[in-house]
Amino acid sequence: MQQVCERSLELINTADLQQFSEVTLRELSEIFRRAPVAGLYENRLLMLALAQGGALHYENGERGLKDIDIWAFFSEGPSKPFPPRARWTVDLGPSKFGRHPDDLGFTGRRMDILGRSIPTQAGEQPEKSVRRWIEGWSGSAVALRQKPMFAIFPKAISGLRI
């Protein structure tokens, strides 16, 4: 029986980051297929990052995990930006984190996936491009820099604080 609780105090480990990445990549594949503007970015993914409360919980294990917020960053370029106001929700599925009581119909924690197309420089590491964007003054950048953020994809930088 899946545990139902407001916040899971189970710690997030590297295997969990990998699971978050895999679930997000599968959902993005569906998003690219269904949403024409998002589909323009199918081959432009720079990085996935765990953000907001989940990142705080990963960092210190004290906050508890209410939901899982994943940000997908894409290299800008197509004629239209990645849909900046879109938020996709997906079910993590059964896991040690249980399920939030308000997420009826889910078998596990809710994952929210948000994305942005950001400027990059030739040869630049993804984390550097994302850090530069976070230093900007968009509402999302300002909000994201209030809490830690950790890369979960590509695998080579998974767990890196951004």
Side-chain angles (χ1 to χ4, degrees):
M1 181 81 176
Q2 185 80 316
Q3 177 188 1
V4 177
C5 58
E6 179 85 18
R7 292 186 182 273
S8 171
L9 295 177
E10 292 288 335
L11 298 179
I12 299 171
N13 61 37
T14 55
D16 300 319
L17 296 181
Q18 180 65 32
Q19 181 184 18
F20 298 166
S21 174
E22 290 168 1
V23 169
T24 303
L25 290 169
R26 274 195 308 272
E27 183 63 16
L28 283 173
S29 179
E30 286 298 309
I31 291 165
F32 296 145
R33 190 178 57 75
R34 291 188 320 255
V37 174
L40 297 172
Y41 288 87
E42 184 171 11
N43 297 310
R44 302 184 76 83
L45 180 63
L46 295 170
M47 186 174 72
L48 299 175
L50 175 65
Q52 300 166 321
L56 273 174
H57 184 64
Y58 176 66
E59 182 176 65
N60 64 29
E62 297 172 5
R63 178 176 176 87
L65 187 64
K66 182 177 178 184
D67 63 0
I68 302 160
D69 296 301
I70 304 295
W71 279 74
F73 295 96
F74 300 89
S75 177
E76 70 179 7
S79 59
K80 297 180 181 180
F82 189 85
R85 299 209 190 301
R87 183 186 89 186
W88 293 275
T89 300
V90 64
D91 187 347
L92 176 63
S95 74
K96 67 184 182 182
F97 302 113
R99 179 180 67 79
H100 189 282
D102 292 341
D103 291 334
L104 301 176
F106 279 50
T107 60
R109 288 285 154 180
R110 185 183 79 238
M111 292 181 66
D112 292 330
I113 302 169
L114 302 102
R116 289 295 185 279
S117 48
I118 64 172
T120 58
Q121 296 176 2
E124 183 174 55
Q125 296 296 319
E127 61 272 21
K128 187 168 183 180
S129 299
V130 172
R131 285 180 184 134
R132 188 176 53 257
W133 180 81
I134 288 172
E135 292 303 315
W137 292 103
S138 73
S140 296
V142 170
L144 282 173
R145 68 175 175 251
Q146 303 304 311
K147 295 179 182 167
M149 191 164 59
F150 295 92
I152 64 170
F153 177 87
K155 192 172 185 175
I157 61 170
S158 185
L160 177 71
R161 184 173 178 157
I162 302 304

